[in-house]
């Protein structure tokens, strides 16, 4: 099943930090698409949110402590996603992944729009839940003629 | 030029006092309201109550390029983002940052941040000193613990007393760099023989330091 997808992503290795609502869904999807996934979270219970067919690895630990990113073999990752709820945590994980482990593509969740600039300064691709929501709501409002 | 101290409690307090007494202009940023009140009461520092990892808060400081920033919160991830913001947003180059976790010294270094040694490391070194035998007068780990520098006094009971250096079997990753005998400093040669009360300086891999001590001081 899903042979095409599998071929395309064969050998791709992604590290995801934060197994909350967003992280767990992304990890489950990437895993079922055949990507090698390692997901980290401080809280052991967080991994219960993963899909039952998740075949990646889970690591319980604070990813701002170097040993856990080492354990996740971050130096071999093609992509790292820093998706915790805390911007400062994501900034540290993202810049460590990029400049210490040499990960090529680093994406971070940035909650506070004011923080986007510092992430961009360091070449981290940002995803802003706040701005995504704002855009969605704005497009709804404009479709209703309120904007 | 001003000195900006962000985060921290006791260190921030004593640093503020010390810098003010030396005549510097000191700005303090701290999340802890009662700490801010206390500082504002005691010292003529500019005290800003707020989260130093927020740009809005940092903007209030009106940084100049020649300012010195000292970042002392107890969370390394906060220290990292604060330091990078100060460097990038305001072009401040003299930023000293506390690494609470010794593992982060190397990381901060790699990310271009000047690191202040963490209290954890200082304590660990002191404890290590206490754990070693009395004859080992001093022990300095250097280069993040990749290298140890030992200063040993040779007791009369040492298995090496009276032996020439070339006869003493030392671990491979170690070298005797100098000997103090009385008031004289000797550059060690293979023919130099060790005498009681010699103070011997050894550079070695920390992993072999106990074997060095055994060889020169005795078990």
């Amino acid at each position: 099943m899903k042979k095409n997808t599998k071929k395309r992503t064969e050998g791709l290795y992604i590290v995801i930090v934060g197994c909350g609502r967003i992280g767990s869904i992304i990890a489950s999807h990437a895993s079922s698409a055949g990507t090698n996934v390692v997901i980290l979270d401080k809280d052991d219970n967080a991994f219960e949110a993963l899909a039952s067919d998740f075949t990646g690895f889970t690591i319980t630990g604070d990813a701002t402590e170097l040993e856990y990113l080492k354990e996740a073999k971050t130096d071999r990752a093609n992509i790292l996603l820093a998706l915790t709820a805390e911007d400062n945590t994501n900034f540290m994980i993202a810049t460590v992944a990029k400049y210490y482990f040499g990960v090529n593509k680093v994406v971070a969740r940035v909650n506070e729009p004011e923080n986007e600039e510092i992430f961009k300064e360091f070449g981290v691709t940002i995803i802003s839940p706040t701005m995504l929501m704002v855009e969605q709501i704005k497009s709804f409002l404009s479709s209703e003629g309120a904007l | 030029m001003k000195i900006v101290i962000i985060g921290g409690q006791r260190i921030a307090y004593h640093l503020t006092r010390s810098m003010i007494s030396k005549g510097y202009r000191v700005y303090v940023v701290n999340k802890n309201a009662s700490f801010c009140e206390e500082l504002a009461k005691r010292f003529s520092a500019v005290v800003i109550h707020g989260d130093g990892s927020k740009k809005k808060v940092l903007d209030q400081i009106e940084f100049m390029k020649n300012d010195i920033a000292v970042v002392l919160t107890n969370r390394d991830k906060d220290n990292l983002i604060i330091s990078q913001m100060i460097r990038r947003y305001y072009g401040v180059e003299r930023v000293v940052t506390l690494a609470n976790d010794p593992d982060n010294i190397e990381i901060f270094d790699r990310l271009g941040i000047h690191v202040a040694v963490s209290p954890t490391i200082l304590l660990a070194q002191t404890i290590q000193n206490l754990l070693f035998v009395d004859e080992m007068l001093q022990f300095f780990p250097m280069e993040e613990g990749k290298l140890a520098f030992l200063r040993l006094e040779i007791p009369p009971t040492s298995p090496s007393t009276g032996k020439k250096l070339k006869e003493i079997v030392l671990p491979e990753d170690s070298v005797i760099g100098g000997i103090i005998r009385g008031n004289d400093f000797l550059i060690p040669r293979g023919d130099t023989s060790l005498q009681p009360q010699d103070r011997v300086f050894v550079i070695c891999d920390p992993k072999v330091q106990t074997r060095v001590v055994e060889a020169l001081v005795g078990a």
Side-chain angles (χ1 to χ4, degrees):
Chain A
M1 74 179 207
K2 288 185 184 174
K3 259 190 182 145
N4 292 335
T5 335
K6 220 166 198 170
K7 220 164 209 163
R8 190 161 50 80
T9 57
E10 199 167 19
L12 259 195
Y13 179 40
I14 81 173
V15 173
I16 300 174
V17 181
C19 193
R21 281 187 295 268
I22 301 171
S24 61
I25 294 171
I26 300 293
S28 301
H29 284 195
S31 167
S32 67
T35 296
N36 300 306
V37 180
V38 172
I39 185 157
L40 297 89
D41 201 287
K42 276 198 289 199
D43 178 9
D44 205 15
N45 299 323
F47 302 121
E48 285 167 16
L50 290 166
S52 53
D53 64 344
F54 176 77
T55 55
F57 289 95
T58 60
I59 295 174
T60 308
D62 181 346
T64 63
E65 289 176 32
L66 189 60
E67 60 175 299
Y68 296 110
L69 286 184
K70 277 187 180 158
E71 190 182 335
K73 301 195 167 49
T74 303
D75 56 330
R76 291 192 212 158
N78 304 98
I79 301 168
L80 178 135
L81 309 176
L83 302 178
T84 80
E86 243 202 342
D87 287 1
N88 295 6
T89 304
N90 292 342
F91 181 78
M92 179 157 184
I93 291 162
T95 53
V96 167
K98 197 167 175 72
Y99 298 99
Y100 185 86
F101 290 102
V103 179
N104 214 351
K105 290 181 182 156
V106 177
V107 179
R109 166 181 171 189
V110 183
N111 301 290
E112 169 57 57
E114 197 185 68
N115 283 337
E116 290 178 14
E117 191 182 343
I118 193 73
F119 282 79
K120 284 183 195 158
E121 282 273 337
F122 282 86
V124 175
T125 305
I126 56 169
I127 297 201
S128 164
T130 315
M131 293 319 287
L132 287 176
M133 288 269 284
V134 168
E135 289 310 317
Q136 288 251 316
I137 293 166
K138 270 166 72 180
S139 85
F140 168 76
L141 286 179
S142 82
S143 74
E144 294 292 316
L147 268 180
Chain B
M1 200 237 354
K2 58 183 178 290
I3 295 174
V4 181
I5 300 167
I6 298 170
Q9 297 274 311
R10 288 175 309 278
I11 304 176
Y13 180 90
H14 294 295
L15 197 60
T16 303
R17 188 176 63 187
S18 157
M19 291 298 138
I20 283 191
S21 73
K22 290 184 171 72
Y24 291 104
R25 287 166 58 215
V26 177
Y27 283 51
V28 174
V29 179
N30 209 289
K31 268 202 229 180
N32 182 327
S34 57
F35 180 74
C36 285
E37 261 176 51
E38 190 188 342
L39 274 188
K41 252 186 244 162
R42 297 209 180 174
F43 306 119
S44 59
V46 177
V47 180
I48 296 166
H49 174 226
D51 179 348
S53 66
K54 298 267 183 288
K55 186 169 182 292
K56 278 186 216 105
V57 174
L58 293 177
D59 279 342
Q60 294 173 37
I61 297 165
E62 296 180 330
F63 273 108
M64 306 293 278
K65 279 196 164 68
N66 64 346
D67 289 343
I68 292 178
V70 187
V71 186
L72 296 173
T73 85
N74 58 10
R75 299 203 316 173
D76 285 350
K77 52 191 167 189
D78 295 346
N79 290 348
L80 178 69
I81 196 168
I82 292 168
S83 306
Q84 300 295 43
M85 283 180 173
I86 294 171
R87 276 156 35 102
R88 293 288 173 124
Y89 290 159
Y90 316 106
V92 176
E93 277 169 22
R94 293 185 291 179
V95 181
V96 182
T97 307
L98 175 68
N100 296 279
D101 177 351
D103 282 352
N104 286 332
I105 295 174
E106 194 188 346
I107 287 184
F108 282 12
D109 210 48
R110 195 82 68 90
L111 294 172
I113 289 171
H114 190 84
V115 182
V117 175
S118 77
T120 323
I121 286 205
L122 290 179
L123 272 174
Q125 285 176 2
T126 311
I127 291 167
Q128 211 162 2
N129 281 348
L130 293 175
L131 288 173
F132 275 99
V133 288
D134 294 341
E135 285 84 356
M136 185 181 318
L137 298 178
Q138 259 163 332
F139 163 83
F140 307 109
M142 295 189 288
E143 295 293 317
E144 299 152 23
K146 287 182 195 115
L147 194 69
F149 183 70
L150 315 179
R151 179 171 169 239
L152 308 165
E153 190 169 319
I154 306 298
T157 54
S158 157
S160 297
T161 301
K163 277 194 190 165
K164 290 182 176 167
L165 291 186
K166 60 184 177 192
E167 298 162 354
I168 300 170
V169 182
L170 282 175
E172 210 158 272
D173 297 320
S174 64
V175 64
I176 296 178
I179 298 169
I180 303 248
R181 179 172 298 158
N183 291 322
D184 298 327
F185 176 70
L186 312 176
I187 294 290
R189 310 275 176 214
D191 284 336
T192 312
S193 55
L194 285 184
Q195 295 178 11
Q197 270 84 56
D198 279 355
R199 270 162 291 155
V200 177
F201 295 83
V202 183
I203 298 166
C204 69
D205 185 323
K207 291 189 202 85
V208 302
Q209 67 194 24
T210 43
R211 278 163 58 206
V212 171
V213 175
E214 277 169 22
L216 294 177
V217 177

